[in-house]
Amino acid sequence: MPRRKPDPAALEARIGHAFANRDLLGHALTHMSAAGGAYAKSYQRLEFLGDRVLGLAIAEMLYAAFHRGSEGDLSRRLSELVRRETCADIAEEWGLGPHIRIGSKEAAIRTNRSVLADVTEAVIGAVFLDAGYPAAHAVIEKAFGPRMKALAKPPSNPKAVLQEWALARNLPIPVYEMVEQFGPHHAPRFRILAKVQGLKPAEGTGSSKRGAEQDAAENLLLREGLWKRPVKPGSQDDRTPAPAAEAPGAAAPADDRLDDVRAGA
C-alpha cells in the first residue's frame, strides 16, 4: 500500500503560518537524499537562513522579557532556547517528521533529531522568505515563547561552569578529546573525554559533539562533588551546585560556590 501523503494545511496550522508559496515549505522539508544532491532544492540553504532569523527573534524576545538580565544571563537563555535539542522538540510538536521528503532508502532520517532540528530552522527560514520577519517572529514566539517563560533562572551550563572553575584557580581551560564516534550513520553517537589539569578525565556521550562535551563536563563536576545533577521542576531536590572543592595545588577560597562563576558557553 503506498504511503499516504500528510496534509500540508494541517502542518501549516500547527506551525502557525499559511504559506503563500508552498514551494518554500516543500524545500524546507526536502532532505538532500531526495534533492539529487542539489543544495538549492534541499533544506540546507533555508536552514542557514532560519538559524539566523531564529537567533535574532529569540534575542529580541529575551531583551523585551528580561529587563534586568545581564548580557551573560541573556546569552545563557539564548543558548538554551536555540540549541539543537530544543529545535528537535519543536519539530516533534509540529509533526515535521512525516512531512520530510527523503530518498527511497532513508526512512530513519524522519526520526533523526539532528535532521529534525535542521528542518525546524529551515521552516523558519521559509516563513521569513514567504512573508517577512514579522511572520517568522510570530511563528517563533508561538513555538519558543512558552519555553522562554519557563526559564525562571538562566540555565547553568556544565562546560561554562567547569571552565570558570578552572580559570578561577589559575588552571588551563578544560580540554575535550574525541574518543570515538559510534552508532548508525543516520544517528551517530559521540564519546568524548573532559580533561582538567590535576584531575582524572571524565567521559561523556551524546548525539552531537557539543552534547557529549556537556555530558563529560557535567560528569566531571559530579564526580568531584562540584555539582548536583539538575532535576525536573517540582522535585524534592534542587539544582544548587555543591561547594567548589579545591583543585590539587590550587589556592582558592574554601567557600567558593559554583553559582558565583556561572557564565555563558
Side-chain angles (χ1 to χ4, degrees):
M1 179 181 296
R3 179 174 174 269
R4 183 180 179 182
K5 292 184 178 181
D7 181 9
L11 174 60
E12 289 177 333
R14 291 192 296 272
I15 293 171
H17 177 75
F19 280 83
N21 180 1
R22 274 194 180 166
D23 285 345
L24 286 168
L25 178 59
H27 287 166
L29 297 169
T30 301
H31 187 262
M32 279 290 290
S33 63
Y39 284 99
K41 294 182 179 179
S42 78
Y43 64 65
Q44 293 191 350
R45 284 169 52 84
L46 285 171
E47 174 203 347
F48 167 82
L49 178 62
D51 176 63
R52 276 66 185 174
V53 175
L54 174 62
L56 174 60
I58 295 294
E60 184 180 3
M61 290 162 56
L62 290 170
Y63 186 86
F66 299 98
H67 302 286
R68 298 182 180 180
S70 68
E71 179 186 1
D73 289 346
L74 296 176
S75 294
R76 288 197 293 277
R77 293 179 191 273
L78 175 67
S79 295
E80 178 72 13
L81 289 167
V82 303
R83 67 194 183 108
R84 299 186 69 77
E85 292 85 351
T86 306
C87 289
D89 289 343
I90 297 296
E92 291 174 348
E93 291 176 7
W94 284 349
L96 292 182
H99 293 265
I100 299 175
R101 301 170 182 174
I102 57 176
S104 59
K105 298 181 180 180
E106 303 287 346
I109 286 176
R110 290 196 176 97
T111 57
N112 183 309
R113 286 181 60 81
S114 180
V115 171
L116 290 173
D118 292 344
V119 175
T120 296
E121 292 177 339
V123 168
I124 290 170
V127 173
F128 174 77
L129 291 181
D130 188 64
Y133 179 70
H137 188 283
V139 166
I140 292 166
E141 188 164 23
K142 177 184 176 184
F144 291 82
R147 287 171 168 78
M148 181 189 72
K149 294 174 183 176
L151 291 175
K153 295 182 179 179
S156 296
N157 181 313
K159 282 185 65 178
V161 171
L162 183 60
Q163 177 168 314
E164 291 297 326
W165 183 87
L167 291 176
R169 288 155 181 77
N170 297 317
L171 296 172
I173 65 173
V175 174
Y176 296 90
E177 179 182 302
M178 168 76 79
V179 177
E180 66 171 333
Q181 177 179 330
F182 59 98
H185 176 72
H186 65 271
R189 301 280 295 175
F190 300 90
R191 194 184 315 278
I192 286 178
L193 287 179
K195 297 182 176 181
V196 175
Q197 181 177 303
L199 299 178
K200 182 180 178 181
E203 184 179 281
T205 59
S207 59
S208 67
K209 291 181 181 179
R210 182 179 183 276
E213 290 174 356
Q214 294 281 18
D215 188 51
E218 182 174 319
N219 288 338
L220 194 154
L221 291 165
L222 287 167
R223 190 194 66 210
E224 298 298 323
L226 309 175
W227 182 261
K228 290 184 179 180
R229 188 178 299 279
V231 295
K232 295 180 179 180
S235 168
Q236 295 299 313
D237 198 3
D238 60 40
R239 64 178 300 164
T240 304
E246 292 295 326
D255 62 347
D256 274 354
R257 300 271 176 180
L258 290 182
D259 272 340
D260 296 332
V261 297
R262 288 189 301 177

